[in-house]
Amino acid sequence: MNIQNTKDTQLFELYQKLERLIAAGEIASAYGGAQNIDDPDGDVLSEFIEFIDEFYPDNREDWLEAFYQVFAWQFQSCHEGVCTYYSNFYNLSEDQTVKKTSDFLKGTKHTDLSQTYSMGLDAGQSEYAQIDKWINSNLELVWEFYVDILETHKGCWPT
């Protein structure tokens, strides 16, 4: 099997998992997956990230980078706090990438997510705490962003 067929098959399977989670009424996050920890599809967001790392490690389209960055942002918030995200502690969130993601998010219907994400661009410790609190209190809104961006681009992933 060639690489393109493998990639297409993996992507198809990821979307099947996403659709099953949606149909089950699940809400998943970057840190911990689905609320039902026994759901075999619960780690689909992490699996999308692994897929992106394998097939799109650099020069991602804006929507793909935004998905990746919001995932990293949410994960780091739950793990250690968003201060690690905005300080680029893991070398995943360079300033220009965060700014580009912020600009992309401003053009979406996810206004609250966009405003909260952008707050971190010039934030201090107290603002970081507010952002962490918002992320943890709005898992469903962040999940809706993931679902929306993935479903919107289902048929148009880069080749």
Side-chain angles (χ1 to χ4, degrees):
M1 183 177 273
N2 70 34
I3 292 174
Q4 186 62 43
N5 286 342
T6 301
K7 185 167 89 169
D8 291 344
T9 300
Q10 287 179 11
L11 191 57
F12 177 78
E13 290 170 356
L14 288 173
Y15 273 101
Q16 285 185 319
K17 289 179 177 190
L18 180 66
E19 289 166 9
R20 286 191 296 265
L21 277 182
I22 294 166
E26 280 289 344
I27 297 170
S29 73
Y31 194 78
Q35 292 175 329
N36 175 1
I37 59 171
D38 295 323
D39 193 313
D41 299 322
D43 287 334
V44 72
L45 294 175
S46 295
E47 292 177 36
F48 269 107
I49 292 300
E50 290 170 7
F51 179 85
I52 293 167
D53 281 338
E54 180 177 351
F55 293 107
Y56 306 100
D58 301 305
N59 302 316
R60 299 179 187 116
E61 292 189 17
D62 292 349
W63 72 268
L64 196 53
E65 190 65 56
F67 172 82
Y68 195 92
Q69 291 301 316
V70 170
F71 181 93
W73 176 71
Q74 184 182 41
F75 183 90
Q76 289 178 46
S77 170
C78 296
H79 186 60
E80 300 165 320
V82 293
C83 58
T84 59
Y85 176 79
Y86 291 106
S87 69
N88 195 24
F89 185 79
Y90 293 104
N91 295 318
L92 296 172
S93 51
E94 296 176 351
D95 288 341
Q96 68 268 23
T97 304
V98 173
K99 177 70 173 112
K100 189 174 179 181
T101 299
S102 173
D103 291 344
F104 176 86
L105 291 172
K106 288 175 186 172
T108 71
K109 66 182 181 182
H110 304 280
T111 309
D112 289 344
L113 173 70
S114 172
Q115 290 173 346
T116 306
Y117 180 90
S118 298
M119 227 172 88
L121 291 170
D122 298 310
Q125 205 57 42
S126 64
E127 289 89 3
Y128 291 148
Q130 287 179 300
I131 295 168
D132 287 327
K133 184 177 180 181
W134 185 92
I135 291 170
N136 289 311
S137 300
N138 290 280
L139 296 178
E140 187 169 359
L141 288 178
V142 181
W143 168 244
E144 289 170 2
F145 165 77
Y146 294 137
V147 169
D148 181 46
I149 200 164
L150 290 169
E151 287 185 334
T152 298
H153 296 92
K154 184 177 182 177
C156 56
W157 280 67
T159 53

